[in-house]
């Protein structure tokens, strides 16, 4: 299997308090993380609040400082955020939001961009009637579709889904999960699937990592994790999700 | 204990005919745990607010008939309503962080409903608050009594909210998504606590949630709401395993389970 | 327990009612502003009488030939107000432009990047705002001299902090939103993120403070001219006219009344529009 991302001995610290003039005190949020993601897999990342899963995602994306090595074997990964309300620029139209990555990417002319945007929006199931609307005119599920379109239009190979369906109603969640899995097959994507919902993890992932307080407690295949959990904390999570 | 007949809620800001709750009827026995499930916009929270008469009359028009322990809530006097709200019906909300006053210590907030109604002496109130916190399985209630909300974790705050809700021994406890903002392992503890309160004190619980999983763990009966209407009511197991309505079937099929892989 | 319940409100605002109210504000504000703008615009090209033409008809009360009457030198008051309003308007506009543009840029940069530069610049702003602006303007004029252009520059600089502070706060708030994070992930430059992504989202707070700033500039110019340190003759300004008129308050009350009314209307129009827009946003 071909690795797409390697994380080696990554530590991360969070500064509490402090200002432009003073340092404040630091808390370690990632403790010696080692992890490899392989091309084409869906790796689940489970943890409760404060487990460091979001910090890990941010470290991979270079959005926060860390110590250690993160080796990318692909182009810049993209991310779909949990909250579909703050992740879309409220001043832009849907079309503009999805086109923006291409404009920044800078390889296409206007006509090509428009065509790609239309294809991408069609792929996430948003018809032409949505293209000129603003995010606030859309429902949560529709916004999440826009986020997905904006993340995938530059054809990344790795996409990080940070609780991407957690804020949605179950019926909508069901549709979005189907969409994500469809896009994964079509574009040959690798997902880092962050979720607190073990059942969603079970449905979507190949491998799972359990984090708590900045450490990886267990790394297992999805069937292994659900049938023979190795760590007591994993068992506790499984019981709660029953 | 609680009987709702043809409850309608219409927000005055909306055009006529567009009701948030479209004439629902529900029935609750005392000591029962009824789950009210639905997706966002289904009207489940509005129903609960109408029940606890939290909806200001200026904003919403509420019609129908609610009978609580034989009393017609809509024709009750202000005083009767006040007594009803503070002593017979209590509410626990989703966000423990925002439902508590950050500038007030935990103890006085737990006692609040006693204080408001001028019950007992301060010393007795404190004893009752500590007892309620103990009932809510909070560790070391004496020292928690003097702490501020920001010193507690989300799960502990939610327990403190529950303590505040049960201090007056309500007949009905309305819980509006009380576990949604919490981690799963913490969620588990809160559900067990609610079960215990129901079992030991016989408090009826109206549990509102979008999470069918949680509802199934806790409730004996369930009412499924969709777009302001109750589409299906019944025994939890019956609704889950033999849903009658199309919407319920879809809703249940959408719950992530370990029966399938995508 | 029940005291906490106030926080629970159905999140649907009362659309219809406040929209009507907002429209009322907008229409009233629009009419007043259009009226004043027309007065100013016409005044630049044409006035009923030459503004400096004196005549023997001193202190004429409003009549058909002089709609607002005449002043102590027999000059037509309407013509004078048209000219004065024009220069007051121009000064206020330039002040707001200078303060608004520079303040917005400073606010954007400090709000986005933060750090030491942010801390230092904000303390400088604090220092400037700590002084009453008229007093500070007085000092600066004493040092640099008065005149229309100096006043524009001085007031413009004094107005920078108020804009910088508001924009900085809003930018710092927007910066934490996920849409900014996704723009970063796409590889957008800081410049692009600040001015293309974040800036349009600050207009909501920027517009009201621009109108407030304009109103303050009108008042500041008027008070400085009233104090005799503003626009100098032969330039007209509403503030200077107001100052002149008070000598003749008993003989020609319409003089002060009309001038004051012109200032009030100029401010009121924009305030109403700004209020209307904010109400509409909320609806």
């Amino acid at each position: 299997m071909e690795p797409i991302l390697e994380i080696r001995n990554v530590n991360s610290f969070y500064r509490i308090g402090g200002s432009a003039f003073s340092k404040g005190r630091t808390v370690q949020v990632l403790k010696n993380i080692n992890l490899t993601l392989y091309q084409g897999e869906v790796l689940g990342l489970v943890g409760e609040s404060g487990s460091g899963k979001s910090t890990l995602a941010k470290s991979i994306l270079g959005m926060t400082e860390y110590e250690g090595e993160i080796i990318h074997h692909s182009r810049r990964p993209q991310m779909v955020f949990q909250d579909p309300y703050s992740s879309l620029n409220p001043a832009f139209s849907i079309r503009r939001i999805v086109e923006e990555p291409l404009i920044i990417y800078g390889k296409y002319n206007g006509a090509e961009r428009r065509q790609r945007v239309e294809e991408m929006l069609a792929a996430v199931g948003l018809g032409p009637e949505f293209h000129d609307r603003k995010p606030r005119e859309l429902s949560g599920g529709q916004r999440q579709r826009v986020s997905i379109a904006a993340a995938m239009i530059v054809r990344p190979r790795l996409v990080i889904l940070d609780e991407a369906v957690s804020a949605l109603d179950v019926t909508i969640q069901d549709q979005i999960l189907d969409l994500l899995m469809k896009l994964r097959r079509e574009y040959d994507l690798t997902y880092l699937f962050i979720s607190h919902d073990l059942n969603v993890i079970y449905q979507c992932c190949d491998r799972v990592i359990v984090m708590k307080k900045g450490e990886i407690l267990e790394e297992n295949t999805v069937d292994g994790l659900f049938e023979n959990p190795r760590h007591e904390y994993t068992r506790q999570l499984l019981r709660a999700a029953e | 204990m609680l009987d709702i007949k043809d409850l309608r809620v219409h927000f005055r800001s909306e055009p006529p005919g567009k009701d948030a709750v479209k004439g629902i009827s529900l029935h609750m026995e005392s000591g029962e745990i009824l789950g009210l499930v639905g997706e966002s916009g289904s009207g489940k929270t509005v129903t609960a607010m109408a029940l606890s008469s939290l909806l200001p009359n200026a904003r919403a028009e509420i019609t129908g008939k609610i009978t609580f322990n034989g009393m017609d809530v809509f024709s009750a006097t202000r005083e009767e309503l006040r007594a009803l709200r503070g002593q017979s019906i209590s509410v626990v909300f989703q966000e423990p962080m925002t439902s508590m006053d950050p500038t007030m210590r935990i103890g006085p907030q737990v006692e609040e409903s006693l204080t408001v109604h001028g019950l007992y002496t301060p010393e007795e109130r404190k004893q009752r608050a500590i007892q309620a916190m103990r009932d809510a399985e909070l560790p070391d209630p004496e020292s928690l009594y003097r702490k501020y909300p920001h010193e507690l974790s989300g799960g502990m705050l939610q327990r403190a909210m529950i303590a505040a809700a049960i201090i007056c021994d309500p007949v009905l406890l309305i819980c509006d998504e009380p576990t949604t903002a919490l981690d799963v392992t913490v969620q588990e503890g809160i559900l067990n606590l609610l079960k215990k309160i129901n079992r030991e004190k016989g408090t009826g619980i109206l549990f509102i949630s979008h999470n069918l999983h949680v509802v199934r763990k806790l409730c004996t009966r369930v009412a499924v709401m969709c777009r302001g209407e109750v589409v299906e009511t019944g025994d939890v197991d019956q609704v889950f395993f033999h849903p009658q309505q199309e919407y319920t079937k879809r809703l249940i099929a959408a719950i992530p389970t370990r029966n399938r892989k995508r | 327990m029940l005291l906490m319940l106030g926080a629970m409100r159905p999140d649907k605002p009362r659309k219809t009612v406040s929209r009507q109210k907002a429209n009322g504000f907008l229409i009233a504000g629009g009419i007043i502003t259009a009226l004043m703008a027309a007065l100013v615009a016409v005044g630049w090209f044409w006035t009923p009488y030459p503004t400096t033409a004196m005549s023997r008809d001193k202190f004429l009360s409003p009549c058909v030939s002089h709609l607002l009457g005449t002043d102590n030198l027999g000059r037509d008051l309407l013509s004078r107000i048209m000219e004065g309003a024009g220069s007051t308007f121009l000064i206020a506009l330039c002040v707001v432009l200078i303060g608004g543009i520079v303040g917005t840029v400073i606010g954007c940069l400090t709000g986005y990047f933060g750090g030491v530069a942010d801390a230092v610049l904000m303390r400088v702003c604090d220092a400037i705002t700590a002084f009453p602006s008229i007093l500070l303007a007085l000092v600066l004029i004493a040092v640099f001299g008065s005149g229309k252009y100096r006043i524009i520059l001085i007031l413009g600089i004094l107005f920078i902090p108020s804009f910088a502070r508001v924009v900085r706060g809003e930018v710092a708030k927007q910066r934490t939103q996920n849409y900014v994070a996704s723009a970063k992930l796409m590889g957008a430059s800081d410049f692009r993120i600040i001015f293309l992504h974040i800036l349009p989202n600050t207009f909501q707070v920027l517009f009201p403070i621009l109108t407030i700033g304009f109103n303050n500039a009108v008042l500041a110019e008027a008070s400085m001219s009233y104090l005799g340190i503003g626009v100098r003759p032969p330039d007209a300004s509403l503030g200077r006219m107001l100052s002149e008129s008070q000598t003749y308050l008993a003989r020609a009350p319409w003089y002060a009344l009309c001038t004051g009314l012109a200032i009030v209307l100029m401010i009121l129009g924009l305030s109403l529009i700004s209020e209307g827009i904010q109400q509409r946003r909320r609806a």
Side-chain angles (χ1 to χ4, degrees):
Chain A
M1 278 194 294
E2 177 198 350
I4 194 168
L5 178 77
E6 290 172 72
I7 300 173
R8 289 193 194 143
N9 306 322
V10 165
N11 288 284
S12 181
F13 301 89
Y14 180 68
R15 213 169 60 183
I16 293 180
S19 65
F21 303 111
S22 71
K23 276 244 152 173
R25 83 195 158 89
T26 54
V27 178
Q28 186 163 10
V29 276
L30 290 180
K31 292 172 190 159
N32 200 29
I33 303 289
N34 283 287
L35 182 63
T36 308
L37 252 91
Y38 298 97
Q39 166 65 39
E41 75 171 339
V42 180
L43 177 67
L45 178 52
V46 191
E48 303 195 311
S49 47
S51 62
K53 54 191 201 303
S54 289
T55 312
L56 183 60
K58 281 183 186 163
S59 305
I60 294 172
L61 295 163
M63 287 159 65
T64 183
E65 282 172 31
Y66 58 88
E67 291 166 10
E69 244 186 312
I70 295 180
I71 308 159
H72 291 272
H73 296 286
S74 71
R75 264 194 282 128
R76 186 192 277 273
Q78 291 294 322
M79 174 139 149
V80 179
F81 295 90
Q82 168 174 11
D83 176 16
Y85 291 85
S86 83
S87 57
L88 305 176
N89 189 336
F92 283 6
S93 68
I94 301 312
R95 187 197 301 278
R96 185 74 177 75
I97 288 171
V98 181
E99 191 182 3
E100 178 71 7
L102 290 179
I103 298 175
I104 295 167
Y105 197 50
K107 255 169 99 178
Y108 307 101
N109 65 31
E112 283 168 344
R113 284 204 302 268
R114 266 192 298 283
Q115 200 198 335
R116 281 175 169 262
V117 168
E118 257 154 50
E119 283 169 9
M120 193 68 234
L121 282 170
V124 298
L126 288 175
E129 70 272 23
F130 292 103
H131 295 189
D132 292 311
R133 294 196 197 165
K134 291 280 174 68
R136 63 168 181 276
E137 298 167 71
L138 266 55
S139 70
Q142 288 163 347
R143 285 175 211 225
Q144 210 56 317
R145 287 175 191 269
V146 177
S147 294
I148 292 168
M152 298 198 178
I153 195 156
V154 286
R155 296 284 183 274
R157 285 172 62 201
L158 171 61
V159 179
I160 298 176
L161 307 167
D162 187 2
E163 301 275 5
V165 296
S166 304
L168 306 172
D169 280 330
V170 273
T171 49
I172 309 295
Q173 177 176 313
D174 185 51
Q175 294 163 10
I176 299 290
L177 286 174
D178 279 343
L179 171 68
L180 284 169
M181 292 302 136
K182 181 195 93 171
L183 292 173
R184 178 202 161 207
R185 283 189 291 274
E186 277 173 20
Y187 301 147
D188 189 25
L189 295 164
T190 308
Y191 285 154
L192 177 59
F193 196 109
I194 303 176
S195 178
H196 68 274
D197 188 335
L198 275 164
N199 294 326
V200 171
I201 294 271
Y202 178 84
Q203 290 189 346
C204 302
C205 301
D206 305 313
R207 267 193 322 139
V208 191
I209 279 171
V210 181
M211 280 183 78
K212 191 187 184 187
K213 291 183 180 160
E215 283 178 284
I216 293 181
L217 293 186
E218 177 161 357
E219 186 176 341
N220 210 332
T221 61
V222 86
D223 294 325
L225 186 100
F226 281 85
E227 273 147 39
N228 299 304
R230 294 188 204 121
H231 203 279
E232 175 49 36
Y233 178 66
T234 314
R235 278 191 280 275
Q236 210 183 326
L237 283 178
L238 283 171
R239 266 199 305 279
E242 211 114 278
Chain B
M1 168 188 62
L2 178 71
D3 193 52
I4 305 171
K5 282 255 154 57
D6 197 33
L7 177 74
R8 274 172 197 280
V9 180
H10 176 251
F11 286 108
R12 293 183 205 278
S13 58
E14 295 292 324
K18 211 179 155 195
D19 294 347
V21 175
K22 299 168 187 161
I24 64 164
S25 296
L26 278 176
H27 180 78
M28 231 181 124
E29 295 295 332
S30 59
E32 185 181 34
I33 309 185
L34 175 68
L36 193 57
V37 286
E39 301 191 285
S40 42
S42 61
K44 55 188 194 303
T45 295
V46 177
T47 304
M49 285 168 70
L51 278 187
S52 42
S53 40
L54 288 177
L55 285 175
N57 271 334
R59 303 190 64 165
E61 220 171 324
I62 307 171
T63 54
K65 189 172 173 163
I66 300 178
T67 323
F68 182 77
N69 270 354
M71 176 172 93
D72 183 354
V73 173
F74 288 149
S75 56
T77 62
R78 279 185 96 111
E79 280 312 302
E80 283 172 331
L81 270 182
R82 234 167 73 88
L84 180 77
R85 283 198 284 211
Q87 290 162 15
S88 306
I89 302 182
S90 286
V91 190
V92 177
F93 295 117
Q94 173 176 4
E95 289 283 344
M97 302 291 178
T98 54
S99 328
M100 283 218 147
D101 184 342
T103 62
M104 230 170 125
R105 293 179 199 275
I106 299 290
Q109 300 202 51
V110 171
E111 294 167 15
E112 184 73 5
S113 68
L114 299 183
T115 318
V116 169
H117 291 93
L119 298 170
Y120 311 112
T121 64
E123 193 43 43
E124 278 170 342
R125 283 205 291 267
K126 184 173 177 183
Q127 285 317 313
R128 282 179 182 262
I130 286 171
Q131 184 54 44
M133 284 157 83
R134 201 167 281 134
D135 289 343
E137 292 169 352
L138 279 163
D140 195 9
E142 282 85 0
S143 73
L144 277 182
Y145 187 90
R146 298 196 51 75
K147 291 216 162 122
Y148 284 99
H150 71 262
E151 297 174 86
L152 272 64
S153 68
M156 280 168 75
L157 273 182
Q158 197 59 291
R159 284 172 188 274
M161 287 291 293
I162 291 173
I166 59 172
I167 192 168
C168 52
D169 281 322
V171 188
L172 173 64
L173 186 61
I174 298 177
C175 300
D176 188 5
E177 305 263 6
T179 61
T180 305
L182 304 173
D183 281 330
V184 275
T185 47
V186 180
Q187 198 168 310
E188 186 81 357
I190 299 285
L191 293 179
N192 287 337
L193 171 63
L194 289 174
K195 265 189 204 163
K196 193 192 86 174
I197 291 169
N198 170 264
R199 200 174 50 235
E200 291 177 1
K201 299 184 182 252
T203 314
I205 299 178
L206 179 62
F207 188 86
I208 299 162
S209 180
H210 71 281
N211 190 335
L212 291 119
H213 212 78
V214 171
V215 168
R216 202 176 121 189
K217 275 188 198 175
L218 182 71
C219 305
T220 42
R221 274 198 324 134
V222 62
V224 182
M225 281 193 78
C226 174
R227 291 187 193 146
E229 283 171 87
V230 171
V231 291
E232 188 160 355
T233 334
D235 191 68
V236 163
D237 287 333
Q238 192 201 326
V239 171
F240 268 85
F241 294 115
H242 308 286
Q244 300 299 310
Q245 299 298 319
E246 204 45 49
Y247 176 74
T248 320
K249 282 180 192 163
R250 265 199 297 134
L251 195 66
I252 286 164
I255 311 174
T257 56
R258 283 171 222 163
N259 299 335
R260 68 167 180 144
K261 295 232 181 197
R262 284 173 207 259
Chain C
M1 178 71 214
L2 282 160
L3 295 181
M4 306 157 196
L5 304 184
M8 277 275 288
R9 290 196 195 97
D11 50 9
K12 293 242 169 104
R14 278 188 289 172
K15 263 181 205 151
T16 41
V17 180
S18 56
R19 172 142 307 167
Q20 274 166 11
K21 212 164 121 195
N23 284 342
F25 278 119
L26 281 178
I27 292 168
I31 290 173
I32 295 173
T33 307
L35 209 74
M36 290 310 289
L39 202 71
V40 166
V42 172
W44 273 323
F45 304 104
W46 174 86
T47 48
Y49 294 84
T51 50
T52 49
M54 297 177 229
S55 71
R56 269 174 301 155
D57 303 326
K58 290 177 190 172
F59 298 123
L60 271 188
S61 48
C63 58
V64 182
S65 52
H66 296 280
L67 282 177
L68 300 180
T70 60
D71 67 1
N72 55 324
L73 298 174
R75 292 174 294 192
D76 177 53
L77 212 53
L78 179 61
S79 311
R80 296 258 296 146
I81 283 180
M82 281 164 86
E83 198 201 3
S87 76
T88 297
F89 180 84
L90 200 70
I91 291 172
L93 193 71
C94 292
V95 166
V96 168
L97 280 182
I98 293 174
I101 291 172
V102 180
T104 302
V105 171
I106 291 179
C108 278
L109 296 177
T110 55
Y112 185 77
F113 292 109
V116 179
D118 174 41
V120 171
L121 270 167
M122 281 305 126
R123 290 302 86 75
V124 172
C125 285
D126 284 347
I128 294 180
T129 7
F131 281 100
S133 52
I134 292 287
L135 190 72
L136 209 56
L138 265 169
V139 173
L140 288 173
I141 280 166
V143 176
F144 299 109
S146 65
K148 206 177 185 175
Y149 298 104
R150 289 208 181 88
I151 287 192
I152 289 176
L153 203 65
I154 288 168
L155 282 180
I157 292 169
L158 290 182
F159 272 55
I160 291 173
S162 60
F163 293 104
R165 187 184 305 279
V166 174
V167 173
R168 173 189 175 273
E170 188 60 23
V171 169
K173 194 178 106 198
Q174 296 285 335
R175 189 186 58 166
T176 61
Q177 299 286 302
N178 283 333
Y179 75 85
V180 173
S182 9
K184 264 187 211 164
L185 286 179
M186 294 164 194
S189 63
D190 288 330
F191 185 81
R192 189 180 178 87
I193 291 175
I194 295 173
F195 292 104
L196 201 86
H197 287 265
I198 297 182
L199 191 58
N201 287 303
T202 63
F203 287 162
Q204 273 198 53
V205 295
L206 196 56
F207 189 76
I209 61 157
L210 278 175
T211 55
I212 293 168
F214 179 87
N215 292 346
N216 285 339
V218 168
L219 288 177
E221 186 279 324
S223 3
M224 284 169 70
S225 302
Y226 179 82
L227 292 171
I229 53 162
V231 176
R232 282 182 307 190
D235 286 333
S237 106
L238 294 177
R240 244 193 61 230
M241 290 172 62
L242 201 61
S243 144
E244 281 165 14
S245 71
Q246 68 175 354
T247 323
Y248 314 106
L249 210 52
R251 276 188 76 184
W254 59 87
Y255 188 175
L257 208 65
C258 292
T259 318
L261 203 63
I263 296 178
V264 168
L265 286 181
M266 202 176 241
I267 292 173
L268 187 66
L270 271 180
S271 299
L272 287 176
I273 290 182
S274 148
E275 182 63 29
I277 288 176
Q278 276 176 286
Q279 295 247 359
R280 205 168 180 156
R281 277 250 159 70
R282 253 176 263 141

